[in-house]
Amino acid sequence: MSATGRAAEALDERLGGAAFARRGMRKAFPDHWSFMLGEIALYSFVVLLLSGVFLTFFFKPSMAEVVYDGSYAPLRGTTMSEAYASTLHISLDVRGGLLMRQVHHWSAILFVAAIVAHMLRVFFTGAFRKPRELNWLFGFTLFTLAMVNGFTGYSLPDDLLSGTGLRLIIGSVQSIPVVGVYLSFFILGGEFPGTDMIPRFYILHVLLVPGLMLALVPVHAIILPWVQKHTDFRRGRSTEKAVEGKPFYPVFMAKTGAFFLFTAGVTVLMATFFQVNPVWQYGAYSPTAISAGTQPDWYLAFGDGALRLMPGWDVTVAGHTIALGVLVPLLVITVFFTGLALYPFLEARFTGDRAMHHVLDRPRDAATRTGIGAGGIVFYAVLWAAAGNDIIAETFHLSLFATTWLFRALLFTGPVIAFVVTRRLCLGLQRRDMLLLKHGIETGIIVREMSGRYVERTRPLPEEAQVELSATPSSKSLTSG
């Protein structure tokens, strides 16, 4: 026996993992392109961690004021925080520093985008149903943590753009009745901007939030899917009791390894050729200054859009002013994301579906759910687009007042229209599938019967297509209406 074999045998005698490893290597993984969306998120997270480690070697999380004397002439002699000065040093003086900053930023953008795409796939195919409700909650928690970590990382450079967004968030926190001011002081360590904000955000960004994500990612992406049977579409030999797929080793490992290299390569190429967050152009943050046309990263724009659409209403209750113009958007966003987190339980409650599901729905087979999802996408998209209402108005020479009112109208009518249209399209596609199953595929050949009647000749669907188009009656009745 070789040295490697003896070492493996020794580990098995002490840890007893050989049987689990052999069983794991044979685990079947279905082959479908949409299953790779979650892997993009996982690999972007790895790139994010690796590039973040590099940046921590040079970044100084301090708000102590220094006079800049670096290589960027337009800011030389300017008073700024050490955090901003070290960010300029990484970007302009450290060899490969700008590339790593951009790799870090682009991987963060791709990470959140891949999570959103993965969650949409899970939602529209019903992959969140029993027994996977807990995994949906883990995924939603990871999505929330990704946005929180994106915001804290976005704020660390202490430039004018990030400081403007941070001031907006602190103002929203302060508008919360009774506890808002206390929460603001807890976050900042005093009044805005204070001296503790960047060090506290740094601890959150590099230690607390990544630690939570590192704990949740294996549970969400490895442990629970490993214990539970992998979902698959209704095709081939995949059923509620069995899954057809390729073994974890060597097929899946080879594919996923190549896909990791592809994801990392695309991220580096984007960082090389597409500039993102050029902080030296914005200047150091000052509470008295603000730049026009400021927008956060795309995944945080919905909050900015909600604040822009809400009128600046205030009411006075018991001598205290309540800023409805800030509080109402916070409540609307909270309700939206709470409904998203609890959706698996809400659907099970309203449909009475308590069955175990391992076969995925096609979106058309769950017309009501697909309509709700389309409405949610439009709601989010309107808020996202409203964050750029000033840019849209200036670019197309429109009135900012009219643009804002257009988005307000779309926020209420758009989701309803999207729900109705999407649901009707799904029901129409269901009827088309039923006709195909009943009559077969049209051939375009017209024949005359003995009675003199002209009919079109059809041919039956292939067996695989029949399996794909025919959902179980219980599934149809629970989700189509």
Side-chain angles (χ1 to χ4, degrees):
M1 182 181 294
S2 65
T4 304
R6 288 194 299 270
E9 184 178 357
L11 285 174
D12 181 47
E13 290 174 351
R14 289 159 178 80
L15 302 177
F20 174 78
R22 284 193 296 269
R23 186 171 65 254
M25 292 299 180
R26 296 194 301 269
K27 184 175 177 63
F29 280 83
D31 189 12
H32 192 271
W33 67 267
S34 65
F35 299 153
M36 306 296 282
L37 296 173
E39 293 186 40
I40 296 176
L42 177 62
Y43 302 145
S44 298
F45 183 57
V46 174
V47 175
L48 200 58
L49 291 176
L50 295 176
S51 58
V53 170
F54 176 89
L55 296 177
T56 58
F57 295 153
F58 304 97
F59 181 73
K60 297 179 180 179
S62 171
M63 297 187 71
E65 291 188 343
V66 296
V67 177
Y68 180 69
D69 61 351
S71 60
Y72 189 59
L75 291 178
R76 198 173 295 154
T78 303
T79 300
M80 60 184 64
S81 68
E82 274 194 296
Y84 185 54
S86 65
T87 304
L88 293 178
H89 176 67
I90 293 171
S91 303
L92 305 173
D93 298 313
V94 174
R95 187 179 297 274
L98 180 58
L99 176 64
M100 295 306 293
R101 266 199 67 235
Q102 299 217 142
V103 166
H104 193 68
H105 202 118
W106 275 117
S107 59
I109 292 174
L110 289 176
F111 178 50
V112 182
I115 291 177
V116 172
H118 175 63
M119 290 184 68
L120 289 175
R121 195 277 297 175
V122 171
F123 180 89
F124 284 115
T125 60
F128 55 79
R129 293 173 296 175
K130 186 179 179 179
R132 296 174 181 81
E133 306 96 331
L134 186 60
N135 218 20
W136 170 268
L137 290 178
F138 284 145
F140 176 82
T141 304
L142 284 169
F143 174 53
T144 305
L145 291 174
M147 290 194 295
V148 170
N149 221 34
F151 170 72
T152 55
Y154 174 81
S155 303
L156 287 180
D158 199 29
D159 60 290
L160 181 57
L161 181 62
S162 65
T164 301
L166 182 60
R167 189 68 186 95
L168 188 67
I169 294 295
I170 295 301
S172 301
V173 171
Q174 290 174 337
S175 71
I176 300 175
V178 182
V179 299
V181 175
Y182 299 98
L183 286 175
S184 173
F185 272 62
F186 177 76
I187 295 171
L188 302 176
E191 294 185 356
F192 183 86
T195 58
D196 297 333
M197 178 182 65
I198 296 298
R200 291 186 176 190
F201 275 27
Y202 184 73
I203 295 299
L204 288 173
H205 185 72
V206 305
L207 182 62
L208 181 59
V209 177
L212 292 173
M213 297 179 74
L214 282 171
L216 286 175
V217 164
V219 176
H220 174 75
I222 301 175
I223 297 177
L224 282 181
W226 210 274
V227 172
Q228 299 168 346
K229 188 165 70 72
H230 201 293
T231 57
D232 195 12
F233 291 95
R234 188 178 299 279
R235 55 180 181 164
R237 290 178 290 177
S238 293
T239 64
E240 294 287 0
K241 297 181 180 180
V243 171
E244 180 181 3
K246 300 294 191 299
F248 176 75
Y249 179 83
V251 179
F252 181 80
M253 286 188 64
K255 289 173 59 178
T256 197
F259 200 53
F260 167 70
L261 296 176
F262 176 78
T263 303
V266 169
T267 305
V268 173
L269 285 175
M270 293 176 67
T272 303
F273 295 106
F274 300 103
Q275 186 182 73
V276 61
N277 199 25
V279 294
W280 56 90
Q281 295 181 7
Y282 308 141
Y285 176 69
S286 171
T288 61
I290 189 171
S291 57
T294 57
Q295 280 84 31
D297 281 334
W298 73 268
Y299 50 87
L300 297 173
F302 67 92
D304 193 3
L307 291 171
R308 295 185 186 213
L309 294 186
M310 181 66 192
W313 295 340
D314 295 331
V315 295
T316 302
V317 179
H320 298 277
T321 300
I322 299 178
L324 295 179
V326 179
L327 189 60
V328 170
L330 287 178
L331 291 175
V332 170
I333 291 172
T334 301
V335 171
F336 176 77
F337 279 95
T338 302
L340 180 63
L342 299 179
Y343 184 83
F345 307 97
L346 295 174
E347 180 176 296
R349 171 68 178 83
F350 286 106
T351 62
D353 185 6
R354 298 291 187 269
M356 303 282 280
H357 294 281
H358 301 296
V359 173
L360 300 174
D361 289 331
R362 293 180 306 163
R364 69 180 65 178
D365 294 331
T368 301
R369 182 202 302 144
T370 304
I372 292 173
I377 291 173
V378 170
F379 180 82
Y380 183 93
V382 171
L383 292 181
W384 172 81
N389 62 343
D390 53 342
I391 303 296
I392 294 173
E394 180 183 6
T395 302
F396 296 100
H397 306 289
L398 302 173
S399 165
L400 179 61
F401 181 80
T403 305
T404 302
W405 271 102
L406 173 63
F407 280 121
R408 287 172 179 170
L410 289 175
L411 187 64
F412 289 97
T413 60
V416 176
I417 294 173
F419 172 80
V420 173
V421 172
T422 303
R423 187 172 182 275
R424 294 304 305 172
L425 286 173
C426 289
L427 293 175
L429 290 172
Q430 285 184 27
R431 285 192 287 270
R432 174 181 174 274
D433 291 344
M434 292 173 61
L435 290 175
L436 284 174
L437 286 171
K438 183 177 180 181
H439 300 291
I441 301 174
E442 298 176 353
T443 62
I445 300 174
I446 307 298
V447 297
R448 183 180 181 182
E449 296 180 339
M450 295 293 294
S451 61
R453 185 168 65 101
Y454 289 94
V455 296
E456 183 177 11
R457 182 176 294 170
T458 61
R459 57 183 174 87
L461 289 171
E463 183 177 353
E464 185 176 348
Q466 292 184 29
V467 172
E468 183 180 348
L469 293 182
S470 56
T472 59
S474 58
S475 172
K476 285 278 190 179
S477 62
L478 287 171
T479 57
S480 62

